[in-house]
Amino acid sequence: MALRIVTADERLSRAANKTTLALFGPSGVGKTTQLKTLPPAETICIDLEAGMKSVQDWPGDSIPVRCFEDAIDIACLVGGVNPAADPNGFFSEGHYQHLAAAHPDLVRLLAGKSIVFLDSITDLTRQAMAWAKLRPEAFSEKTGKPDTRGAYGLLAREVIGLLKHLQHAPGKTTIMVGILEKVTDEFGKVTWQPQMEGGKAARELPGIVDQVVSMGLFSRESDAWRYDPERGTERRLVCRAGNAFALPAKDRSGRLDETEPADLAALLRKINAHTSAQG
């Protein structure tokens, strides 16, 4: 592939039209309902958890995915060809052309979407684990018995590869939703961590995406917010690393407050406001 220079104008234009964001929150906090804040004509929901009940009146399109092989195929159609892929592997020219020939209607549908809502990466890793356990790498070459380390290694490699492929999807904002799990250690210390099969994928995800936000219930205390997952009445998005609530977050744009209203569309506009103005 020929090397080329990307001009400042090109870079700013792409930044204004594309963001990768991981959205975490406890079960039931309303992560999926954030779909209702996004423009339905421009958004495709990749539904990995049969979780559309809460947004059944949302007028946008969705694709149900029940196995990891289908998730890989959808990611290939969303992200196109990876020029660095193994010619016989996932996301290669051959992989994409095979899928495009088999699903021309899906190719046309995805071409018209600028936002991909992946719900959820928690279920994606569960599907990936079920798939990995059946692969040759998940069995010992010497004994033929299941090899858990091999399965987890394969899971991490393929899930990270899939998420990175979505990250590079040209002109598409990708929102990856996941469960935030409360973990209490032996000394009673509480932390909140993304719920995903395999530690490696969970550790690497923040480095893949531009933004990490945690959604939670908050209570107002004077002129400040208090994280109150049990009795809070207002949903907020925690957006900055090193926040006062010890929740996972990262703001690569540098434009977000510590917390923002629970409105993904407004959040995306704020992230892209500066580059849009320059464009």
Side-chain angles (χ1 to χ4, degrees), residues 92-103:
S92 64
E93 177 76 26
H95 185 200
Y96 180 82
Q97 293 301 337
H98 169 74
L99 294 172
H103 307 285

Side-chain angles (χ1 to χ4, degrees), residues 22-34 178-181 192 212-220 225-239 243 245 247-249 258-264:
L23 169 64
F24 292 106
S27 295
V29 77
K31 301 181 295 299
T32 301
T33 58
Q34 286 295 298
I179 293 175
L180 194 62
E181 181 179 24
W192 294 87
V212 177
V213 298
S214 290
M215 184 176 183
L217 294 174
F218 285 77
S219 296
R220 174 71 80 172
W225 292 103
R226 175 170 58 87
Y227 184 49
D228 191 0
E230 302 297 331
R231 293 179 294 276
T233 57
E234 183 158 348
R235 294 176 177 85
R236 303 282 296 178
L237 301 176
V238 179
C239 305
N243 56 79
F245 320 105
L247 293 173
E258 184 175 52
T259 75
E260 297 279 354
D263 184 330
L264 275 183

Side-chain angles (χ1 to χ4, degrees), residues 168-190:
H168 289 287
K172 295 194 188 300
T173 286
T174 303
I175 298 166
M176 308 170 185
V177 179
I179 293 175
L180 194 62
E181 181 179 24
K182 182 178 179 180
V183 178
T184 305
D185 67 16
E186 57 185 311
F187 302 106
K189 181 181 178 181
V190 173

Side-chain angles (χ1 to χ4, degrees), residues 58-163:
W58 179 67
D61 298 310
S62 63
I63 303 173
V65 175
R66 297 295 172 261
C67 65
F68 189 61
E69 295 96 323
D70 288 348
I72 289 173
D73 287 348
I74 293 296
C76 184
L77 288 173
V78 169
V81 177
N82 177 0
D86 182 323
N88 299 313
F90 299 139
F91 314 129
S92 64
E93 177 76 26
H95 185 200
Y96 180 82
Q97 293 301 337
H98 169 74
L99 294 172
H103 307 285
D105 292 343
L106 190 52
V107 172
R108 285 192 291 270
L109 175 69
L110 293 173
K113 305 297 184 181
S114 60
I115 301 174
V116 178
F117 191 89
L118 181 70
D119 190 16
S120 67
I121 49 178
T122 301
D123 281 271
L124 176 69
T125 59
R126 290 170 181 161
Q127 292 182 8
M129 191 61 190
W131 171 82
K133 285 180 176 180
L134 301 178
R135 304 292 294 176
E137 296 93 327
F139 296 89
S140 169
E141 292 184 358
K142 293 183 178 179
T143 66
K145 294 181 178 181
D147 178 4
T148 302
R149 288 183 302 175
Y152 274 110
L154 180 61
L155 176 151
R157 183 168 66 250
E158 298 302 339
V159 167
I160 291 167
L162 185 154
L163 297 179

